[in-house]
Amino acid sequence: MDHVHHFEMGTWVMVLAYLTSVAGCALGLACTLQARTAISQRARLAWLALAAVSIGGVGVWVMHFIAMLGFATPGLPVRYDIPRTILSAVLAVLSVFAGLLVFGVRERFRWWRLLAAGLITGLAVNLMHYTGMWAVQIKGTIGYQGGLVALSIVIAVVAATAALWFTAALDKLQWRLLAGLVMGAAVTGMHYTGMAAVRVQVDVSAPDPSGAEVFSFLFPVFVLAAIALAVPVCAVLMAQAPPEPAGEDLTPDEQPLPAGAAAGSPRELV
């Protein structure tokens, strides 16, 4: 029989998870925008790495484990396999980086890049979620309802694509914030859709699961999340504005002469 709660600590956990995801995703998308206007390949890759840590590490991975505070099999222990948990974090950052690498290495917009990056980034969100669920150890087994798993993938891919489009196509701050809200909705919506797909079969005669309780590693996770947000925030605040095209602020009399024009030409004498 199914025997699981998803809001054991109340719905405030879902709100906190969403806000955490929005913060990580909005900052990561801001770093992605910086990467698209960076003047060197090394700078682009550095910005994309910061974006991947913000989105994959904070917006996806930390959000997942905040949301998992509400997951419980009442009266029975829930534990987490630490190596698998660490693996889920690494996969989240690397797979998001792969998606952003497709989208964020060129300043000029291309639809195929947007669609490919949205697909890869959306799948990255799902990869992290189900790897993180692989780390969950209970007295029993965990299965999934296939239709809801497919829906969770669609939600993540569509919303990730929309968030990347908002970031690249619309230059105003409010649209960038909206991109963070959309991306946060993608990650959180995917998580809870994936959790709705969970089917738990409890076996009370099974031995207690091995691993760590979620609260035992939550504090280190929050410390790492704070560092993962602080570095990109400082980088974005200290980033220089993109260089303006040469001659943009010159008056008509200060504009350079056309090619081939010589001193003393009619234009110069006017």
Side-chain angles (χ1 to χ4, degrees):
M1 62 178 178
D2 287 342
H3 190 69
V4 61
H5 290 175
H6 296 295
F7 300 99
E8 180 73 8
M9 297 182 64
T11 56
W12 68 269
V13 172
M14 179 176 65
V15 175
L16 178 61
Y18 174 67
L19 294 177
T20 300
S21 183
V22 169
C25 291
L27 182 57
L29 292 171
C31 291
T32 303
L33 188 64
Q34 291 288 338
R36 290 172 60 80
T37 58
I39 59 176
S40 70
Q41 186 69 11
R42 178 177 295 181
R44 286 192 187 100
L45 293 176
W47 280 114
L48 290 179
L50 290 176
V53 170
S54 296
I55 296 174
V58 178
V60 179
W61 189 74
V62 174
M63 182 287 308
H64 173 85
F65 284 100
I66 290 176
M68 289 301 289
L69 290 173
F71 179 80
T73 53
L76 299 173
V78 176
R79 300 289 186 267
Y80 292 84
D81 183 286
I82 295 300
R84 294 179 184 179
T85 299
I86 295 172
L87 175 64
S88 69
V90 173
L91 288 176
V93 174
L94 292 181
S95 53
V96 168
F97 180 76
L100 296 178
L101 194 63
V102 172
F103 180 67
V105 295
R106 295 289 184 273
E107 183 175 358
R108 193 170 183 180
F109 182 84
R110 288 286 185 270
W111 277 107
W112 75 266
R113 287 185 178 276
L114 171 65
L115 297 176
L119 175 63
I120 296 171
T121 305
L123 292 177
V125 174
N126 281 269
L127 176 64
M128 183 275 125
H129 174 82
Y130 291 107
T131 306
M133 289 303 297
W134 182 43
V136 177
Q137 309 292 306
I138 64 171
K139 293 186 68 152
T141 59
I142 297 177
Y144 298 94
Q145 200 277 323
L148 289 174
V149 170
L151 178 60
S152 72
I153 294 173
V154 171
I155 290 172
V157 170
V158 171
T161 303
L164 290 172
W165 181 81
F166 276 123
T167 301
L170 303 171
D171 197 33
K172 294 184 178 179
L173 176 61
Q174 58 266 34
W175 292 114
R176 296 179 194 171
L177 293 177
L178 179 60
L181 293 172
V182 170
M183 189 70 178
V187 176
T188 311
M190 179 271 139
H191 173 86
Y192 283 103
T193 304
M195 293 307 295
V198 168
R199 299 293 182 264
V200 171
Q201 298 297 320
V202 171
D203 181 2
V204 294
S205 64
D208 285 349
S210 60
E213 293 184 350
V214 66
F215 286 103
S216 67
F217 62 86
L218 204 57
F219 178 72
V221 165
F222 278 127
V223 172
L224 291 175
I227 296 172
L229 286 176
V231 174
V233 164
C234 293
V236 169
L237 291 176
M238 297 174 65
Q240 296 180 352
E244 296 181 355
E248 184 176 297
D249 296 330
L250 298 180
T251 65
D253 289 339
E254 294 173 322
Q255 294 289 344
L257 295 177
S265 65
R267 178 187 169 189
E268 182 178 307
L269 296 174
V270 172

